[in-house]
Amino acid sequence: MFILKSYLSLAKCYDIAHRISSIISPAIIPCFTLGLVWSLFIAPTDFQQGQAYRIIYLHVPSAILSLNLYFIMGILALGYLIWRIKIFSLLIQCLAKVGIVFSGLALVTGSIWGKPMWGTWWIWDARLTSTLILFFLYLGILALNRSITQSRAKDSACAVLTLIGTVNIPIIHYSVVWWNTLHQGATITQFWAPKIDHAMLKPLIYMLLCYIMYVIVVVSNLLIKAIAERESHTQWLKKRLLEDVF
Amino acid sequence: MNAVKIYYTMLHLECACMWRKQLQCLQGLMFFCLSVVFLPFAVGSDLNILQAVGPGYMWIMAIFASLLTADSIFSIDNQSGFLEKTVSAPDCLTAYYFAKLTAYFIFSSVPVILLTPVLSLLYQLSIFTIIILSITLTLGTFILNLFTLLGSILTLPVNQRNNLVQLLILPMITPVLIIGTMASYFTEPNQLTFSYIYLLLAIFLVAMFLLPIASIYLLRCGNT
């Protein structure tokens, strides 16, 4: 625990985020290009949905991540409320920014996919609706984060809101499922007998990994900015910035 | 003084304060009445449509009416310094929170619940629907008030007056709205109706356990 603690200081995290960002950033574009070529050209055509199904390679990873990032945020919020570790609350606000983008992307690509498949842009179906509510939950966290200026009050308010949201998400999801269901059932999560063919599944998992890589890079860049804003009055940051310049 | 005694004193104080601000309390009620009366002008006076839309619409408007005065719950106490004193006084805060909750429920939600059966007559809802609507609204607005208090505590440090509470609270109470309205769509006694009421009761118990903890925690160490 003691060793771990030294890694959780803002100065240390600033360095780690810098290193992660500088290592992974150059790999992002080649990896995404490979993934897009694989998923858009090499992967086999679906016999029912034709070429249009290929949007799942953008839609499914963003939908998976938009939900899972919220749970990660919930765990971080719990950690912040118990141990008062500042970096956790900064991570929450950075993850929320990425999460809202992914839930928005999942909604947009979903409706683009829905137009040729179901014939409409929007259906009041369980998954769509719960993603929309998730989008508003993210929006709430970001709005609260933006409108409070005092940093300590901001951190605890956002952490409590995130935690309550995390407890609430399963309840929201099941109530919405009960309310209405039309969406096709889960295909990947049925781990032992996936309904999707392996030739289609492999690029999907590859794209998911690309997305995770993207999240790591973007979050570490946002974290650098957030730490710099929070610690703008401190000596170590001035020293670090001078080192970067010279 | 023991906690219960503090609670009653605080409740007395809160009710007196609320009674002085009658107009503010009436604001939600008037909003509810007007919006219920205005629905037929928008969708037409066809009773089939009104009976189909009515219960759900009344639910939504009850929620909005209860959120209307949300951001003033704690802000006056915060400005006058009363909140700070309460936080620093020994074991006063829990009693204070529950007194606020009770007073807010009595003055913002109970009038709406009491008026619901009367206004339901405008849509000619059946007696059974009216009874179920009143029961679910009582439970639902209480859960909503728990959330509203949390939202108003969360937005205490926000400087300018805004409508942030609605944005924070409305997505959170989707399950309450869904289950509450599902229960009130049956026109005659039904096994399912009661299962929805039990579900609402379950959410009520969970919320009653978690939200006061979160709110009191935030009041104690977060915001002021």
Side-chain angles (χ1 to χ4, degrees), chain A residues 42-53:
Chain A
I42 300 172
T45 314
D46 188 83
F47 95 104
Q48 247 181 349
Q49 306 192 355
Q51 299 290 352
Y53 94 96

Side-chain angles (χ1 to χ4, degrees), chain B residues 1-12 91 94-95 99:
Chain B
M1 276 204 286
N2 58 0
V4 179
K5 218 167 179 183
I6 301 175
Y7 168 74
Y8 279 118
T9 317
M10 288 277 193
L11 183 61
H12 195 83
D91 45 77
T94 313

Side-chain angles (χ1 to χ4, degrees), chain B residues 79-98:
Chain B
Q79 280 159 14
S80 66
F82 183 73
L83 185 60
E84 207 176 330
K85 282 276 178 241
T86 317
V87 171
S88 55
D91 45 77
C92 232
L93 194 57
T94 313
Y96 172 73
Y97 172 80
F98 282 106

Side-chain angles (χ1 to χ4, degrees), chain A residues 184-212:
Chain A
Q184 68 181 63
T187 29
I188 309 178
T189 45
Q190 294 175 340
F191 196 72
W192 298 110
K195 282 184 203 156
I196 185 170
D197 186 61
H198 274 284
M200 291 179 183
L201 184 64
K202 276 178 198 158
L204 190 58
I205 289 170
Y206 180 79
M207 279 306 276
L208 183 62
L209 293 177
C210 283
Y211 267 64
I212 291 170

Side-chain angles (χ1 to χ4, degrees), chain A residues 88-110:
Chain A
F88 284 179
S89 70
L90 292 178
L91 265 175
I92 290 173
Q93 79 181 59
C94 299
L95 281 170
K97 284 175 188 166
V98 185
I100 194 170
V101 171
F102 278 155
S103 57
L105 196 66
L107 286 171
V108 170
T109 52

